[in-house]
Amino acid sequence: MAITIDEAVPVSATHDAPPERRRGGRGRMVVEVVLLTALAVAMLFPVLWMLETSIKENRDVYAVPAKFFGFDLTLAHYKDVFVAPGGGRSDLSGSFLNSVIVAGASTVLATVLGVPAAWAYSRFSMKAKKDQLFFILSTRFMPPVVVVIPIFLMYRSLGLIDSKLGLVLIYAAFNVPFTIWMMKGFVDEVPAEYEDAAMLDGYTRLQAFHKFTLPLLVPGIAATAVFALIFSWNEFVFAIFLTSSQEVRTAPPAIAGLIGGTTVDWGLVAASAVVFALPVLVFAYLVRKHLVAGVTLGAVRR
Amino acid sequence: MTTTKDHPVQEAHAAAPPAPGGSPRLSDRGLAVAFISPALLLLLGMSVFPLLWALYLSFTDYSATRDVPANFVGVENYTNILTSDQVHQRALTTLLYVVGAVTLQTVLGFAIAFLISRRTHGRGALTTMFLVPMMLSPVVVGLFWKFMLDAQFGVINSMLGSLGLGQVEWLTRQRTALISLIVVDTWQWTPFIMLIALAGLTAVPKYLYEAASIDRASEWFRFRHITLPMVWPLLLIAIMFRAIEAFRLFDLVYILTSGGPGVSTETLSFHVYKVAFLGFNTGTASAYGILMVLVVIVLAQFYLRYLNKLKEG
């Protein structure tokens, strides 16, 4: 402390320092902005390249050296995503529909099971609550490739292999831990006194939850459901091992299947990847406030 | 009879101070059980039971394609795996990959977060832009990069070519394939570290910096003694989280390299898949899987305990 005060005292030093510091500060700021821009370009380039590829004529897609500008535009690849070559619906569009059904149903199931459990964990004291909560979250950390082996055998004997119901169940099981952890945070933010007051007015505990707490939780439930939806939508490992037929197959394995052959139609791959990723980005933008909690499975809250 | 008996009880209940008018049908305890058990049942059925089954299978020579009942073989599967050179090599590949990817992500992610936190304008827009890769499905990311890294018409080689550099066969050479994998994973998950580091950085109270500038502390001193200690706990959570995720990684390998060339990018996850679904040695694969689950449980315990400590502290 004493040293710093001594240093600050000389008039010349305080007089000379500011302009120099400002000049140094500006130079540094320029460097920082340039660095940040370079990193942003590096991060966004692959996305832009995919967008560009999806609207390029085929011969420009395979052009060497790559054409960054001045290529011929076409929407044919997007048409191919939805329309089969001979007319009618394409296989890919069917897979997209399956994805909507599976992701939607599993999200509803996870929310219906998870929200009440989160409320109960938040409100009531119970034995080994912390251990229960940690156990619940740790099921989410299991490697999917390992879990899928017994699940595969189990589904085979239950007749759930290659069925939408099977996928919905396993996705719901993977989203329930997330829903409970995420929602417990939201429930904790609603004072328990609201329910106590309602119960003094003669409501039962259940009615108090339903009439007073639940409406306040709606934004939180929406955000949590959106994350569950994104997780299910993006999931690949279970989808590829537990389904095989075109009627059940969801979009991720279907898109990955496009690169199986000897020649790859990269324009089509790009277009379907864009169609697949767009809803996720829109949804992620809607829940951007909760991203930190969402991507850490509700473990970290700002 | 019953009604007359019930009545006074109910009234007494209604008069009790903690919960007047409280439902006589459903006590708090009953409500808690009713609300929690469906979720727990789903978890037991879809996570715990399958793992117990895998545990049983891991002591047998069961194969999913043969119609022969499983024979009990004791710990043979486990000893085979733990002494197998193949598995040791996969473990080394996985370790290289996890350490490489997580280190790169941490350095880059923290750097970006630090740079963003020093900007006063457009922070929100910048953050949103940087977050795009993280939200994409590994399938989409894998395909994006497989196309860009293509040796013939990939854009990366094209750019290298216009810079006068040679072409690289990114995904088909032993050494570059693992590097490519690390680069792609880093591209996707740097935003994750960035997001959490940014949350930590913006939470550092302003007065600390003000006090430091009154003391004329150097930039480095401020960074070393204020910024880093404040952000480190959150950053460590992000790192542990990423390490667990990287250890489990399967989809990116599957899409990008399928473990090749040779076995140079075959991680433990990918090897389990090959043993289980290509070799159909279900018993061995189950033992392998159980061992991986043990590793994950240990890592997750560290993570959760640390998280718990942080929340209470």
Side-chain angles (χ1 to χ4, degrees), chain A residues 7 25 37 49-50 52 57 73 99 104 137 145 175 187 204 252 256-257 284:
Chain A
E7 265 182 5
T37 316
W49 189 246
M50 214 48 167
E52 222 184 278
E57 283 283 4
L73 286 176
S99 266
L137 191 60
V145 200
N175 275 327
V187 180
T204 63

Side-chain angles (χ1 to χ4, degrees), chain A residues 4 28-29 32 43 50 66 130 140-142 150 153 155-156 199 205 234 236 240-241 266 280 291, chain B residues 20 28 35 46 50 57 62 64 118-119 131 135 137 139 144 147 158 187 215 248 254 273 296 312:
Chain A
T4 49
R28 203 181 136 157
M29 198 187 88
E32 280 178 8
M43 292 306 273
M50 214 48 167
K130 214 172 266 165
R140 177 56 199 248
F141 285 125
M142 294 304 138
L153 300 173
Y155 275 17
R156 204 170 60 171
M199 281 158 69
R205 174 73 91 163
N234 281 346
F236 176 69
I240 198 155
F241 291 125
W266 283 110
V280 177
L291 267 179
Chain B
D28 278 1
F35 270 24
M46 303 297 292
L57 288 176
Y62 181 70
R118 292 175 59 89
R119 297 270 68 78
L131 288 177
M135 302 316 295
S137 167
V139 175
F144 268 32
F147 178 50
S158 176
W187 178 77
D215 285 353
R248 315 190 305 173
Y254 183 89
Y273 148 74
V296 170
E312 280 169 357

Side-chain angles (χ1 to χ4, degrees), chain B residues 5-24:
Chain B
K5 251 188 180 175
D6 264 9
H7 225 70
V9 176
Q10 220 164 25
E11 260 182 3
H13 198 270
S23 161

